[in-house]
Structures are given as C-alpha cells and as structure tokens.
Amino acid sequence: MTSPWYKSVSSMFGLRPRIKALLFFILGVLTLVTILAPLSSTSYDASTSSTLVPNVYSSYRRIKEQAAVDYLDLRSLSSGTTLKEFPLCGKERESYVPCYNSTENLLAGLQEGDVLDRHCEFEREKERCVVRPPRDYKIPLRWPLGRDIIWNGNVKITKDQFLSSGTVTTRLMLLEENQIAFHSEDGLIFDGVKDYARQIAEMIGLGSDTEFAQAGVRTVLDIGCGFGSFGAHLVSLNLMPICIAEYEATGSQVQLALERGLPAMIGSFFSKQFPYPALSFDMVHCAQCGITWDIKADAMLLLEVDRVLKPGGYFVLTSPTNKAQGNSPDTKKTSISTRVNELSKRICWSLIGQQDETFLWQKTTDSNCYSSRSQDSIPLCKDGDSVPYYHPLVPCISGTTSKRWIPIQNRTTSAELEIHGLKPEEFLEDTQTWRTSLKNYWSLLTPLIFSDHPKRPGDEDPLPPFNMIRNVMDMNARFGNLNSALLDHGKSAWVMNVVPVNARNTLPLILDRGFAGVLHDWCEPFPTYPRTYDMLHANELLTHVSSERCSLMDLFLEMDRILRPEGWVVISDKVGVIEMARALATRVRWEARVIDLQDGSDQRLLVCQKPFLKK
C-alpha cells in the first residue's frame, strides 16, 4: 500500500459523509484501474532468460492481489467496519522460519551449498495467520538469570537430541526437568569460557580478557556460535558479539542464543555474502564451527571473512589440528589451520599466536600490503562502500580503497562522523532527541505494564520496564541513537539496529559505533526464529514500507512472529498511518493505544502489547 493512500485516509477523516464517500469512490476506481492493468503493459528485455518469467509473473500477481486486499481493508477502515482477526496458525508453524525451506530450494534446482542459504524468491504463498507459541512455552526469566537458565519448552530441541549432541554440548548445558541451565565455567572448548577468552587475550598480547577494548576489540562476529556461552561471556565484558549460524529445524544455535537474550541471527555464507558492509567487525571467531574453508575455489569463504574484518582485526580459529578437510588428494592430509594459514599469506594476514588448537591471525593495517604481493595473488575488488544484500560471494579482496580503512586501534568518534559525512551538530541533535524520546517511552510504558502486567506467583513487585526487556529491535535505526540512549540511561537491553534497504545507508556508522546492526528488506521476513524479541521499535518505518509497495498486513504478521508473548511494540508515524496501524494491530490481537504527543505535530505513537495466546 502506498503513502498517497494514507494521505487520502488521513484527509478524509474530517470530511462530511457524502463528500467522503464520493472521494473514496473516485480513489477506489483509480486504484482498481491501476491494479487490474494488463500484464502485457509491463515491458522487459526480451532477451531475459525464460526461467525468470515465472518469477516476474509471480511477483506481479502477488503485488496485484495484495493491492486489492489492501484496498478492501482501506475501505473497511474508512467506513468504520471492524476488521476481522487473522486466524491462528497450526502447530506446524510454531517454529517456522520463512525463506529457509531446503525442500523447496532443492525443487527449484539449487545446488548443494545454495540449498542452505536464504531464498525468499522460492517462498510459496501461505495462509495469513498468527503464529501461536508451543503448548509448553513460558515467559523467559528476567535478565540476567534468563541468560543462564531457559525454559525447555521455548526452544525446539528434544531430550534425545540433547543427549546425542556430544560431550561439548553436555558440558555446555544441563537438562533439568523443564529447564536448560548453561554453566559457562564448564562450557566452551577445553578449560571453560573464561580460560578460553583469557587464552585469546594472551595471544593478542593482553594481560586478560577484560582488556579486549584496549586492543580495539568491541564487536565480534561469532560464526557457528554453539549455544552462546562464548557470546554470553563477551556480553559480560561489555563487548558486542553477534552469533550467526545456518538455519536448523531443531536444536538451533541461533534460537538457543536468542532465547538466552544474546545477539544472534540466522545466516550462512556458502554462496552469498553476509548482509554487512566491508570492514564491519573487530574480530571474527570460529570455534569448531563446521566450516570447510577450502570448499570454494580461490578460498572465497575466507575472503568473505576478510571482507567483514576491519584493518588490524583478528580471526580466531579453534579446530582439531589433526582433522583433515577437503576431498582432493592435495588437501586430504592438510588440517584446517594449515590450509587457512597458507591462504592467509595471500590476503595479508599474519599468524600471531597459537595455543593448543586455537590459532589467531591479524589482518594487516597497511593497505599498501596488497600492492606488494606477488602477481599470482588474489585480486582486489573494485568496490565502494555499498552494503551488499545477500550478493554472491566474490573471488577478490574487498574494502582496500574504502575511506573506512582505519585500524581498530586508531579509531576516534570525530573521525568516524567525518568519514560518514555527518556534521557534529546534526548527530548531537539526533542523539538528544532520542534521549528525550527514550525517557518518554519508559514513562508511557511503566503505567501500562503496572496495569496490564499483573504480578505472577512467586514474583516480587514489578520492576521498571527496562528490566523486563532483554533486547530491542529498532526496525528503522537511522544513526543508532536509540541504542545509544539505552546505554546512556544504563539499560541492560541490547539492540538489533536494522537499516531498511533503500533507506539512507547508515549501517557502516552503526557498526563502527560498536553496535549490532544489519541490512534488511522489510518486504521480506527477518532471518530469525519466532518469539525472539522483547520489544520492536519502528520510527517512520510504515511510511517507508508503504512507499516500497510492501504489504503492511504481512509486515504486522512478521512483527508478531518475531515478538515474544507479552512483548511490546512502539510505532511512531504520521496520524493517518497510525490509524491504519491500529486497525492492523487489532487483526493480530495486540492491545493497542494511540498516544498524542501534544507537540503540535501530526506525529502519533502507537503502543501495543502482544497477548500470551495459550492453547
């Protein structure tokens, strides 16, 4: 639905019925003419492969059908008719993640590596319905207790899977009746998480893991993060780890990490790039992550790690030294670490430490290193600072000419603002705006939580709302200043800062500030499991999505899918858009309240809470 429709709705509210009806009739006729325009009027290159025709037709048909449905809902809203609630989904959708259907990907003719990647283009149309929690689902425990103890019924893992998952996992977790307890001291790799982190710090040349920030390490991309024990320890050190692992139907690493309240998202890079710009992370960590680094020609998997790694950043690989990888005669007797070390020399990495089965490489800080390599070295990419959105992997080295090429040890805030084209006064004004907005949010939510969220048996009196919120998804993050305001106010919640596709490209700035962030197209589902966020925040996102001709109904269903029961939604937008949003909120069964900011503007807040739909 497009933003002009919203403007029409907003302008109609104050008109007399007869004029309103006449204008709406004219609008409806013009809309239907546009919707029903013949497919033959759509022009495209006749040389386009015939395999694209079904997708072109499917996309056109979906837009046409969606426009018709949105038109009917607009008519219902303008006439005061109550919109029907979406039905509840069946049990098979309880843990459903769109765009990761390996069966459909195989039927579409994708090859082995591509099958595991994200493919929304092959997603079949499904019934619009509200995803229900599993029968044994319980509200997560309060932070920080919930970081170490989760409810077994909240994740899709069976007792048999748990018991058969190996000694590492059984040291990571203890299954106790209806809970899973994570014991970090006994958890990761050999001597525990703290000893493991200290080992990495010593290889860097630090006295302890509490000094990571002194070495410029603030953000860590944890590939194949297990069940999040290393990430949980990094969070306790005030670092920002992001767990990323491939989709798993059961026993998911990402689902378990998110249930613990840790930053995580689904992702794999067998054939496509991560949705991050070049030079995004200070450290990339892979502990027995199952990656065969030489599976692609020209070492493209390692090149993708190099692409997202900042100058002077570190790559940590923990892998059994006697475990050979690869099927060719040349690699059968070569361990992963040996193979990576051979490849690292071609991309200006230096092996700076090894202890036991853990290896540490550092990326060069000198971009001139690449020009001094031999002629048969891996070529440099001809790229800028654009953010890839699931682009194919590339057989070249990225980011060497970027203006963001700054060693992690040499960063300053003023330099970052200048690099990203921001004036200090613009940035400071936005920062102050969000500090004030956050203070207002809590004052609004506190009475709602006290009145709508009764004390549960065994609980003490309700605490302020920020202690009930472990994570926030800022769906249109801009500079990331909501995240900054949370930190300034001493709130413990972490933020997934999402930058919409086709919006201003601020993701490099967000990542350079040490925050978690990702690029995403809100016309598509977000790569996460159901019920993984405590709060969703959307500032002017609905206006942006409307201009992209995306379905607001699908967006609200997706928001409901990723929001946990009793979670919160705060939407800020223009009054006409908020009225439509309130109608859609009732369709997904949210309790919704429109709040006038009393500042003379046409901006309104829509504050919603998702109910706990028990079976």
Side-chain angles (χ1 to χ4, degrees):
M1 190 176 299
T2 57
S3 53
W5 290 7
Y6 287 121
K7 294 179 181 178
S8 300
V9 173
S10 178
S11 63
M12 285 180 191
F13 286 144
L15 298 177
R16 289 175 297 178
R18 302 183 77 179
I19 300 176
K20 172 181 170 182
L22 177 61
L23 290 177
F24 191 81
F25 174 77
I26 296 172
L27 174 64
V29 170
L30 292 174
T31 302
L32 287 177
V33 168
T34 303
I35 293 168
L36 300 176
L39 180 62
S40 59
S41 64
T42 303
S43 60
Y44 56 88
D45 188 355
S47 63
T48 302
S49 170
S50 60
T51 59
L52 296 180
V53 174
N55 286 338
V56 171
Y57 175 73
S58 176
S59 299
Y60 172 83
R61 182 178 61 186
R62 185 165 57 252
I63 291 173
K64 183 175 72 173
E65 292 174 350
Q66 185 54 54
V69 173
D70 286 351
Y71 163 75
L72 295 175
D73 276 352
L74 180 62
R75 185 176 66 182
S76 299
L77 178 62
S78 67
S79 63
T81 303
T82 302
L83 297 175
K84 185 179 179 181
E85 290 182 341
F86 288 111
L88 300 178
C89 300
K91 182 179 176 60
E92 71 280 358
R93 299 278 287 274
E94 288 178 355
S95 299
Y96 172 66
V97 180
C99 302
Y100 288 92
N101 191 319
S102 57
T103 301
E104 291 183 1
N105 293 343
L106 282 171
L107 293 174
L110 296 180
Q111 301 301 315
E112 181 181 356
D114 295 332
V115 168
L116 299 176
D117 274 331
R118 173 182 171 89
H119 291 283
C120 293
E121 66 271 24
F122 301 126
E123 188 71 18
R124 296 182 182 179
E125 195 74 21
K126 290 182 171 60
E127 175 192 15
R128 287 192 173 97
C129 57
V130 173
V131 176
R132 291 183 292 183
R135 180 169 55 87
D136 297 330
Y137 181 86
K138 294 183 180 181
I139 300 300
L141 299 172
R142 298 181 189 273
W143 184 273
L145 181 61
R147 182 179 58 195
D148 298 321
I149 300 176
I150 65 175
W151 299 109
N152 185 36
N154 290 11
V155 294
K156 196 173 182 181
I157 183 172
T158 66
K159 184 175 182 179
D160 290 341
Q161 288 174 324
F162 171 78
L163 294 175
S164 64
S165 53
T167 56
V168 172
T169 301
T170 55
R171 291 204 304 270
L172 275 168
M173 306 189 304
L174 288 177
L175 193 61
E176 300 172 351
E177 295 184 0
N178 59 351
Q179 292 182 338
I180 299 175
F182 298 83
H183 297 276
S184 58
E185 284 303 305
D186 303 323
L188 184 67
I189 316 303
F190 305 104
D191 300 320
V193 175
K194 288 187 177 180
D195 286 342
Y196 177 67
R198 177 184 52 78
Q199 182 185 64
I200 295 173
E202 289 176 351
M203 286 191 285
I204 292 176
L206 304 174
S208 73
D209 55 0
T210 60
E211 300 175 1
F212 273 132
Q214 298 179 21
V217 177
R218 297 180 301 174
T219 58
V220 179
L221 182 65
D222 194 4
I223 301 175
C225 54
F227 299 135
S229 289
F230 184 59
H233 180 64
L234 294 180
V235 167
S236 71
L237 299 175
N238 295 320
L239 303 181
M240 177 50 66
I242 300 180
C243 161
I244 191 161
E246 65 184 51
Y247 169 74
E248 298 165 286
T250 58
S252 166
Q253 303 171 65
V254 171
Q255 188 181 33
L256 282 163
L258 283 165
E259 188 63 29
R260 299 182 65 183
L262 302 172
M265 61 180 288
I266 301 171
S268 62
F269 60 120
F270 292 106
S271 63
K272 296 181 181 179
Q273 294 178 333
F274 292 128
Y276 307 117
L279 317 180
S280 292
F281 294 97
D282 305 321
M283 178 181 287
V284 177
H285 175 256
C286 168
Q288 300 184 16
C289 57
I291 302 296
T292 306
W293 294 103
D294 59 340
I295 198 170
K296 287 279 185 179
D298 297 322
M300 285 200 290
L301 293 181
L302 199 63
L303 287 175
E304 177 61 4
V305 172
D306 178 80
R307 186 184 70 82
V308 299
L309 195 60
K310 290 177 178 288
Y314 302 96
F315 176 55
V316 182
L317 174 66
T318 298
S319 176
T321 55
N322 59 351
K323 185 176 181 180
Q325 294 291 326
N327 296 320
S328 68
D330 295 333
T331 61
K332 274 189 175 181
K333 296 182 179 180
T334 305
S335 67
I336 294 178
S337 56
T338 302
R339 177 62 175 160
V340 171
N341 196 41
E342 292 175 357
L343 296 171
S344 69
K345 298 173 183 177
R346 303 173 62 192
I347 56 177
C348 289
W349 287 9
S350 300
L351 178 63
I352 64 172
Q354 175 188 355
Q355 289 190 28
D356 300 320
E357 297 182 342
T358 299
F359 298 78
L360 179 70
W361 289 269
Q362 185 174 25
K363 181 175 179 175
T364 183
T365 59
D366 183 9
S367 59
N368 294 323
C369 170
Y370 301 102
S371 59
S372 61
R373 298 172 304 153
S374 60
Q375 293 183 351
D376 62 344
S377 296
I378 298 172
L380 304 181
C381 300
K382 297 179 180 179
D383 54 7
D385 288 323
S386 61
V387 181
Y389 188 65
Y390 300 107
H391 290 176
L393 293 173
V394 293
C396 54
I397 300 173
S398 301
T400 58
T401 60
S402 172
K403 58 186 178 182
R404 295 174 55 237
W405 184 278
I406 300 176
I408 61 174
Q409 299 83 0
N410 300 340
R411 287 180 299 217
T412 61
T413 302
S414 57
E416 287 179 356
L417 294 179
E418 182 179 352
I419 286 171
H420 295 285
L422 280 178
K423 296 180 179 178
E425 54 270 24
E426 177 189 9
F427 184 78
L428 290 175
E429 180 182 359
D430 190 73
T431 300
Q432 186 57 47
T433 296
W434 283 108
R435 286 176 179 169
T436 303
S437 296
L438 181 66
K439 184 177 180 180
N440 292 336
Y441 285 171
W442 294 136
S443 65
L444 290 169
L445 289 177
T446 298
L448 296 180
I449 289 180
F450 284 158
S451 62
D452 296 342
H453 198 298
K455 183 174 67 172
R456 299 190 189 91
D459 280 358
E460 298 177 356
D461 290 335
L463 298 174
F466 50 83
N467 286 332
M468 300 182 66
I469 296 174
R470 304 161 303 169
N471 56 20
V472 178
M473 176 180 284
D474 194 355
M475 301 173 69
N476 188 17
R478 201 164 183 247
F479 302 145
N481 277 328
L482 175 64
N483 193 155
S484 178
L486 282 165
L487 293 176
D488 292 342
H489 283 75
K491 308 302 188 285
S492 59
W494 62 270
V495 179
M496 177 60 76
N497 296 279
V498 182
V499 176
V501 174
N502 298 328
R504 181 178 179 180
N505 179 15
T506 56
L507 182 57
L509 170 63
I510 289 170
L511 294 169
D512 285 350
R513 297 182 70 184
F515 299 157
V518 69
L519 188 73
H520 183 65
D521 182 354
W522 282 115
C523 297
E524 300 175 353
F526 191 81
T528 191
Y529 290 84
R531 303 169 298 278
T532 48
Y533 283 88
D534 297 337
M535 175 181 282
L536 305 179
H537 176 257
N539 179 49
E540 298 185 352
L541 174 71
L542 303 189
T543 296
H544 172 79
V545 170
S546 302
S547 67
E548 298 293 317
R549 290 193 64 85
C550 303
S551 166
L552 288 183
M553 283 191 296
D554 288 339
L555 176 62
F556 269 70
L557 285 169
E558 175 62 9
M559 292 168 67
D560 183 80
R561 185 185 71 87
I562 65 180
L563 183 67
R564 71 161 173 84
E566 297 187 2
W568 295 89
V569 180
V570 178
I571 300 174
S572 175
D573 223 305
K574 296 180 180 178
V575 60
V577 181
I578 290 295
E579 288 297 333
M580 173 63 81
R582 177 167 63 174
L584 291 173
T586 62
R587 296 198 67 183
V588 293
R589 296 172 167 80
W590 295 349
E591 297 178 8
R593 306 184 185 188
V594 176
I595 299 173
D596 190 341
L597 299 177
Q598 302 293 328
D599 59 357
S601 71
D602 63 347
Q603 293 289 115
R604 298 291 186 272
L605 282 182
L606 182 67
V607 179
C608 310
Q609 186 178 29
K610 175 179 176 176
F612 191 165
L613 299 175
K614 298 183 179 180
K615 295 188 177 181

